[in-house]
Amino acid sequence: MAYFGVKKMVSEEKVTLDYSPALGFINRDELANLAPRVRRVHQVLHDRSGPGREYLGWLEWPLLYERDEFARIKEAAERIQKQSEVLVVVGIGGSYLGARAGLEMLLSATAGEVPNGEGVRLLFAGHQLSPAYLDGLLNYLRGNVFSLNGVSISGTTTEPAVAFRFLRRLAEEKYGRSGAAERIYVTTDREKGALRRIAEDEGYERFVIPADVGGRYSVLTPVGLLPFAAAGIDIEAVMAGAAAAYQACSSPELEVNECYQYAALRQIFYNRGKTVELLVSYEPALHYLAEWWKQLFGESEGKDGKGLFPAACDFTTDLHSLGQYIQEGRRLFFETVLRVEDPGVSLAIPRMEDDLDGLNYLAGRSLGFLNEQVLRGTVLAHVDGGIPNLILNIPALTPYYFGYLVYFLQKACAASAYLLGVNPFNQPGVEAYKQNVFALLGKAGYEEQGAALRKRLEKMTEVAEE
Ligand code: PA5
């Protein structure tokens, strides 16, 4: 553990967990006592003997990923860069959030600058149904050269399927059917689904989401790697980071495995009645990483009436909106802080002759130093306010640490769900609304369900009018 506070936090070329700010709330024995259970969870994961075992393809993926497909991703990315200024990635949930998280973490930290200067601009569609959003995007694309990447495991999810139809039609109008076929790429199941069928019929290049990798565990497959490579992100470094995390998280021993420590601490807080985990960061570039994390933990654990609710805040922004509640409201939560050790830029606060704002005492200090002191002050204040804090130290916002963090969190999540006693890899609850939408839209096969839902809606109106 790298310690918060007096000891200098040393970068170790890995993401580290520091739970020293939580030690006033738990004792080390309580954590150590979970070691035998964690060992069992490790065994269940690695023996592939637990619920959802058919979705463990991600577990050894950083070592075993398909090298030929990886080479094809790089070739396609180069082609996309030559073909287009923009790549529109069409997907939702696990087929969207990871790509967006990586893009924002790695490029928006530098205000959207692409590291190697060759990447295309990534835009997203199919992650909601807003007519205004899609109309604006279509208008923008009429004036810009674009390629498309449709991403969907099932190939039937309504939001991306509808957006893909609009975008495909625009591509065909602009480039002709065969021209469109040269700039549309599809990432989907190897064998099934409507998207796969379209790709085959139209001759679009296809990339495979392995059948044993679920959506929220898929960012290190072509789901994330193709958009990253097209945007100029070094995907070799992403996979090297994931492989390093694989090694670092491979021990069954709680004492040395920080990803299991994170999982175990979450369970301790949950069992003490903390029902919410608040993931906070001080870098806006991590906003979408938190969105991806919400899906990862929310869908993996929120079932059978159990699970921590995963929420997120952007600090310091939200300290000026939710800070009051966090400090003094109901003690529902614990906090996990994403702390970036090296912000990548050093911006010195200027000295001003007049010092009218009284800030000369900070002159010459870097903005990163200021951000770090706010982080420290806030952790201490929140601990004083009764909120246990954990810190995940991320050495820098680089592709390597993105890959590292993704693997670390995926494994922590799977372990945490097994400790909780739920299947980390299914999401039966996501289907409920999808089925209702098909029924209300009149999809074939859903007629009876549609009639029943319409009746319920009418009844609600009657009751409201009484
Ligand atoms: O985790 C899930 O199952 C969902 O969030 C999916 O990722 C999302 O619904 C997209 O599904 P698909 O990739 O089949 O389009």
Side-chain angles (χ1 to χ4, degrees), residues 31-180:
L31 183 59
N33 290 342
L34 279 173
R37 277 186 66 204
V38 163
R39 235 173 267 132
R40 278 198 299 279
V41 159
H42 177 87
Q43 196 173 355
V44 162
L45 259 176
H46 284 267
D47 288 355
R48 293 172 150 71
S49 55
R53 57 187 157 275
E54 61 279 27
Y55 290 106
L56 278 167
W58 58 273
L59 189 63
E60 268 137 17
W61 184 254
L63 306 185
L64 302 181
Y65 65 93
E66 255 262 25
R67 290 338 195 242
D68 288 350
E69 177 119 321
F70 191 78
R72 217 157 49 78
I73 288 173
K74 293 211 278 190
E75 283 161 21
E78 272 176 38
R79 213 169 326 121
I80 293 168
Q81 289 170 357
K82 287 194 190 111
Q83 279 171 336
S84 295
E85 302 163 274
V86 176
L87 174 67
V88 187
V89 182
V90 190
I92 196 166
S95 295
Y96 152 71
L97 284 164
R100 182 124 198 205
L103 173 79
E104 301 273 337
M105 170 168 161
L106 301 170
L107 302 186
S108 78
T110 51
E113 275 302 310
V114 174
N116 68 9
E118 287 166 3
V120 290
R121 178 165 184 216
L122 290 191
L123 293 174
F124 294 91
H127 53 297
Q128 25 69 11
L129 287 165
S130 160
Y133 181 96
L134 191 58
D135 189 52
L137 179 64
L138 291 167
N139 282 335
Y140 173 81
L141 294 175
R142 284 189 186 99
N144 288 274
V145 190
F146 69 95
S147 295
L148 284 183
N149 179 202
V151 189
S152 176
I153 294 184
S154 62
T156 53
T157 310
T158 307
E159 297 91 329
V162 169
F164 190 72
R165 176 181 274 228
F166 275 99
L167 290 160
R168 185 179 148 212
R169 191 184 57 177
L170 177 65
E172 288 182 359
E173 281 166 10
K174 236 180 128 164
Y175 307 113
R177 198 163 163 191
S178 62

Side-chain angles (χ1 to χ4, degrees), residues 1 14 248-261:
M1 176 169 72
K14 57 184 210 168
C249 302
S250 62
S251 168
E253 296 309 320
L254 181 64
E255 201 184 342
V256 295
N257 190 333
E258 296 188 352
C259 119
Y260 289 160
Q261 289 170 10

